[in-house]
């Protein structure tokens, strides 16, 4: 993991000591927590349809060094710019449209959930690119949850903690995300992806063949366009489809319940765009189970085929890809040793996730750095990441 200059874990403690005389005087009371970003291997736009997802937490992360405080205030500074924001934990007020909203929203949601919350003085650093579709928001919520818990772990079971962070984002920040990102940032395990059934909340680790293949993120360097409004439009379209289908199939409560057979029978009652959206969700849910089975069987060729089907379905059916993401997938697919490539996260820009034979990573990097800028005028970033543990105390 590479930290931006001057923001590594040691620099973070030093920065806190410079800002807070109390932290300099009581270095033994300074704590450091971390929370990871995530990639999603498969199961895109399925979480808010009660379906299945297979994300992995990654070793790009947010860290907060902090000193718990009993004056009821949170004051947090960014290590790279020095910008400082704060709030009172019993009067968080309404959102400001700034990064502190994720911290204030988490404080609000933890109190709503009955978990004790303390103030702190802290400094935050991140090795996770923001706005790249790698869930820096969920990482900030989970790091905040740990810091707000003071000198002990958050007083909520892990799934309740993940849902509390999701509630902060849905109800305070105002983004209607599903549970996947907060789940991954909470439950991640080194060397594994995490399978979640978003209805029952059953979950398990799915070991990755990490000796053979690397996880490589390719960042398109293109801003995510219209993301919030388009995301909400997709959610609304799924909800409308459920209402139409349930008129014929009353047991359907979410698109998770729709089988390919049902879709064939009632699909004519959906407008063509909605039908394509539903087809994506129904087939994508099936692909999650198929990828898990292929990983369990060591069948990487099958994983690659399923990644390709997922990307095509997101591009043509759910319509959340972009020319830049399609090009990154095309370059990766033409590189020997790349097992699979697809967009990851919400789409509309952001990143692709690639499973790459370890000895082929330099070739993928070279191909992306040569062909992508020439065809887009944009600067890509190729990041080799490892599956990592969920949020907690930093080592
Ligand atoms: C974003 C959301 C997630 C999920 C993905 C799409 O990352 O935060 O809840 O819906 O998009 O799979």
């Amino acid at each position: 993991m590479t930290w931006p200059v001057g923001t590594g874990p040691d620099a973070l403690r030093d920065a806190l000591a410079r800002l807070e005389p109390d932290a300099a005087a009581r270095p033994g009371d300074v704590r450091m927590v971390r929370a990871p970003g995530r990639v999603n291997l498969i199961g895109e736009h399925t979480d808010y349809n009660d379906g299945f997802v297979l994300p992995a937490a990654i070793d790009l992360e947010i860290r907060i060094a902090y000193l718990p405080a009993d004056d009821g205030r949170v004051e947090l500074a960014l290590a790279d710019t020095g910008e400082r924001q704060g709030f009172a934990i019993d009067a968080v007020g309404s959102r400001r449209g700034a990064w502190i909203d994720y911290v204030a929203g988490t404080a609000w949601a933890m109190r709503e959930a009955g978990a004790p919350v303390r103030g702190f003085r802290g400094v935050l650093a991140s090795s996770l690119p923001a706005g790249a579709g790698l869930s820096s928001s969920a990482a900030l919520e989970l790091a905040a949850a740990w810091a707000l818990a003071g000198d002990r772990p958050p007083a909520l079971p892990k799934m309740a903690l993940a849902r509390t962070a999701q509630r902060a984002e849905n109800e305070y920040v105002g983004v209607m995300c599903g549970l996947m990102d907060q789940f991954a940032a909470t439950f991640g395990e080194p060397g594994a992806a995490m399978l979640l059934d978003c209805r029952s909340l059953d979950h398990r680790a799915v070991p990755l063949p990490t000796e053979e293949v690397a996880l490589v993120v390719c960042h398109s360097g293109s801003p995510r366009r219209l993301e919030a409004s388009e995301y909400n439009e997709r959610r609304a379209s799924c909800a409308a489809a459920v209402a139409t289908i349930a008129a014929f199939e009353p047991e359907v409560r979410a698109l998770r319940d729709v089988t390919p057979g049902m879709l064939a029978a009632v699909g004519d009652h959906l407008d063509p765009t909605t039908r394509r959206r539903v087809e994506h969700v129904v087939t994508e849910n099936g692909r999650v189970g198929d990828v898990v089975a292929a990983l369990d069987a060591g069948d990487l060729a099958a994983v690659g085929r399923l990644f390709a089907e997922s990307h095509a379905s997101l591009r043509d059916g759910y319509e959340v890809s972009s020319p830049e993401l399609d090009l990154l997938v095309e370059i990766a697919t033409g590189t020997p040793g790349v097992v699979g490539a697809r967009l990851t996260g919400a789409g509309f820009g952001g990143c692709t996730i690639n499973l790459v034979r370890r000895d082929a990573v330099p070739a993928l990097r070279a191909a992306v750095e040569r062909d992508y800028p020439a065809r887009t005028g944009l600067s890509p970033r190729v990041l080799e990441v490892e599956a990592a543990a969920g949020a907690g105390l930093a080592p």
Side-chain angles (χ1 to χ4, degrees):
M1 169 187 347
T2 44
W3 289 89
V5 177
T7 61
D10 292 337
L12 204 53
R13 285 180 188 275
D14 292 347
L16 183 64
R18 278 196 303 279
L19 276 175
E20 294 295 334
D22 282 356
R26 295 186 280 127
D29 293 342
V30 170
R31 292 167 61 86
M32 184 140 61
V33 289
R34 53 165 287 282
R38 64 100 188 90
V39 292
N40 186 22
L41 293 191
I42 196 125
E44 220 65 88
H45 292 278
T46 47
D47 60 354
Y48 53 82
N49 288 303
D50 272 8
F52 298 88
V53 292
L54 187 66
I58 56 176
D59 60 344
L60 298 171
E61 63 186 26
I62 286 178
R63 289 191 177 213
I64 299 176
Y66 67 101
L67 190 68
D70 288 318
D71 61 357
R73 278 203 68 79
V74 167
E75 295 289 345
L76 185 57
L78 302 181
D80 55 353
T81 62
E83 182 191 339
R84 187 176 164 128
Q85 298 195 24
F87 59 90
I89 52 179
D90 60 358
V92 294
S94 49
R95 74 189 173 97
R96 305 173 193 183
W99 55 268
I100 197 71
D101 289 344
Y102 296 90
V103 184
T106 302
W108 167 79
M110 286 175 79
R111 282 165 58 99
E112 287 276 307
V117 165
R118 281 177 76 182
F120 64 82
R121 302 291 177 273
V123 179
L124 178 154
S126 178
S127 59
L128 186 60
L134 299 175
S135 287
S136 55
S137 317
L140 180 50
E141 289 149 13
L142 267 302
W146 275 78
L148 288 161
D151 56 5
R152 56 195 61 188
L156 290 170
K158 280 170 87 174
M159 192 58 84
L161 181 64
R163 297 184 78 182
T164 298
Q166 181 199 11
R167 187 172 178 204
E169 188 147 344
N170 288 171
E171 295 184 32
Y172 186 85
V173 181
V175 176
M176 290 310 299
C177 62
L179 183 58
M180 172 170 74
D181 305 344
Q182 291 79 10
F183 161 75
T186 306
F187 283 87
E189 291 185 19
M194 306 301 298
L195 174 64
L196 174 67
D197 176 335
C198 297
R199 173 171 284 166
S200 69
L201 304 183
D202 286 347
H203 53 88
R204 76 169 172 96
V206 177
L208 295 170
T210 49
E211 297 216 330
E212 229 176 309
V213 292
L215 294 174
V216 181
V217 171
C218 293
H219 184 353
S220 64
S222 63
R224 291 184 300 167
R225 285 175 293 257
L226 295 175
E227 192 201 10
S229 60
E230 290 279 342
Y231 186 88
N232 291 342
E233 186 276 329
R234 295 300 184 283
R235 280 197 75 143
S237 168
C238 291
V242 169
T244 305
I245 297 169
F248 303 92
E249 306 277 356
E251 71 277 24
V252 168
R253 287 191 286 134
L255 291 186
R256 144 59 168 290
D257 302 313
V258 177
T259 61
M262 275 181 204
L263 185 55
V266 304
D268 288 346
H269 297 277
L270 300 168
D271 68 76
T273 304
T274 306
R275 186 178 180 151
R276 286 201 305 277
R277 307 279 193 256
V278 176
E279 262 160 11
H280 165 72
V281 175
V282 171
T283 57
E284 184 79 352
N285 266 327
R287 283 187 286 271
V288 177
D290 292 348
V291 165
V292 170
L295 284 170
D296 285 345
D299 185 353
L300 289 177
V303 174
R305 281 194 301 277
L306 291 158
F307 269 39
E309 285 175 22
S310 171
H311 185 81
S313 175
L314 288 159
R315 182 190 61 211
D316 305 332
Y318 218 65
E319 296 181 283
V320 294
S321 190
S322 67
E324 293 83 11
L325 292 170
D326 295 344
L327 177 58
L328 285 171
V329 167
E330 181 194 318
I331 294 170
T333 307
T335 306
V338 173
V339 170
R342 55 180 290 282
L343 74 81
T344 193
F348 313 105
C351 294
T352 61
I353 177 66
N354 304 267
L355 282 183
V356 188
R357 294 204 184 274
R358 292 227 173 243
D359 58 5
V361 174
L364 175 62
R365 185 184 298 282
V368 170
E369 288 176 353
R370 182 188 62 228
D371 296 345
Y372 185 80
R375 291 174 62 181
T376 60
L378 295 167
S379 304
R381 284 175 72 189
V382 179
L383 304 162
E384 189 173 345
V385 299
E386 304 287 339
L393 279 181

